[in-house]
Amino acid sequence: MQVSNKLTLLMSFVALCSGVLLALMIKLNSQLAMYSSPLWASWMAHGIGAITVLLMLFLLRKMLMGKEAKSALNADANLSRLPWWAYLGGVPGAATVVLAAVTVNSELALAGTLALMLVGQLILSCIFDCCGYFGVVKRRIRFTEVIAMVMILLGAMLVIYSH
Amino acid sequence: MELMVLIALLNGGLIALSRTFNGALAKHSHALIASCCNHIVGFVLLSAWIICLENGANQLQGQPPVYLYLGGVIGALFVVLNSWALPSLGVMRCTLLVICGQMLTGVVLDIISSANGIHWASLVGVCLMLAGVVFLNRLKQPTPQVKHANCSL
């Protein structure tokens, strides 16, 4: 229990850090979009991102090979089969860009779009967690988590609409 | 208007779906592989979209400074970290923490870039979010753990 608690804390920190990166990325991409269009900026970002990861995979290949071989030894049989849809994360990711461009230019503007996207994210996240869809570990959402969710959502709305 | 609200909500759902897919792939292989697949598939799709809808809007006007292209590099790292953390946190917790990190950084960037300070409501929002994160991590029992949380980064 102690170990998993530590892991949860570490992963919470990692998730927070990824949020920091996300904000920086959005800032840079929106500036890049001013030179052409959001679609073009995102296309460019995906291309550069792909090159970056390929480069990282190439540089770290020795380390990864060693780790992979080790983890393959004690992996569960049911985990070793990779579902086909797991490769398709880029599809909804790319669609997001196009749809966001549509709603930002409507009456919703940027603030409304951001707020509604946060709500949509959280609704579907809860559904995935509760039902255990797409390889997610099925679990009940606790009451304290709902309170934390409301606090964070309210805080985010305040930040978005105070602009 | 209602249609736009629906599209924006659906769009948020797509984000959750994308991250869940990437998390599943990271659980089975590696977070770097997940980020790689995500970006290559996204790049191919957006290329097709731009080619099909070529109307001149996607032409480059002027030369953007080189550092703006770093958004792609940062985005790649974002997907790596996010797909690494998602399997052991659950989608909802992970989403909440990403939102917090994102909003807090946004406020900090605003403070840095704007001369006349920030709105008080933003500060209240920041406090609420920080309290929410502390609350989230004060749960007695951790989330059910993934057996093989992929810690090999």
Side-chain angles (χ1 to χ4, degrees), chain A residues 2-148:
Chain A
Q2 199 61 38
V3 175
S4 52
N5 245 328
K6 268 192 189 145
L7 182 71
T8 309
L9 260 184
L10 169 72
M11 287 307 168
S12 299
F13 181 69
V14 169
L16 261 178
C17 288
S18 77
V20 173
L21 289 180
L22 186 62
L24 291 175
M25 180 194 86
I26 291 174
K27 177 104 178 160
L28 289 175
N29 277 358
S30 59
Q31 278 181 43
L32 189 58
M34 282 183 217
Y35 287 88
S36 56
S37 66
L39 186 60
W40 186 89
S42 173
W43 172 70
M44 207 64 202
H46 272 86
I48 292 172
I51 294 170
T52 309
V53 193
L54 283 174
L55 216 65
M56 280 171 75
L57 277 174
F58 179 73
L59 290 175
L60 299 175
R61 66 191 184 286
K62 286 241 169 66
M63 197 190 93
L64 293 178
M65 298 279 224
K67 285 267 169 64
E68 218 116 280
K70 229 192 293 168
S71 67
L73 281 176
N74 52 13
D76 278 356
N78 59 342
L79 278 183
S80 55
R81 253 204 69 213
L82 187 57
W84 60 271
W85 45 256
Y87 291 105
L88 298 183
V91 178
T96 300
V97 182
V98 180
L99 290 182
V102 173
T103 48
V104 167
N105 290 323
S106 72
E107 298 142 88
L108 287 177
L110 185 61
T113 303
L114 276 178
L116 284 168
M117 275 165 74
L118 291 192
V119 174
Q121 264 184 72
L122 283 173
I123 292 174
L124 217 62
S125 306
C126 289
I127 294 176
F128 285 170
D129 270 346
C130 291
C131 306
Y133 290 142
F134 300 118
V136 175
V137 177
K138 188 171 172 174
R139 66 192 194 87
R140 266 184 54 218
I141 307 258
R142 293 193 186 78
F143 182 63
T144 39
E145 283 179 307
V146 176
I147 297 176

Side-chain angles (χ1 to χ4, degrees), chain B residues 2 20 49 71 86 115 117 121 128 132:
Chain B
E2 283 80 16
T20 309
W49 185 277
L86 191 136
L128 253 176

Side-chain angles (χ1 to χ4, degrees), chain B residues 23-80:
Chain B
L25 185 50
K27 198 165 97 181
H28 283 83
S29 56
H30 196 278
L32 275 172
I33 310 260
S35 181
C36 189
C37 283
N38 176 72
H39 281 85
I40 289 176
V41 171
F43 182 71
V44 170
L45 271 183
L46 288 173
S47 302
W49 185 277
I50 286 181
I51 291 168
C52 291
L53 286 186
E54 187 53 66
N55 56 1
N58 298 315
Q59 293 297 314
L60 195 57
Q61 290 142 9
Q63 193 59 47
V66 179
Y67 74 90
L68 289 185
Y69 290 106
L70 277 179
V73 177
I74 297 175
L77 292 178
F78 160 71
V79 179
V80 172

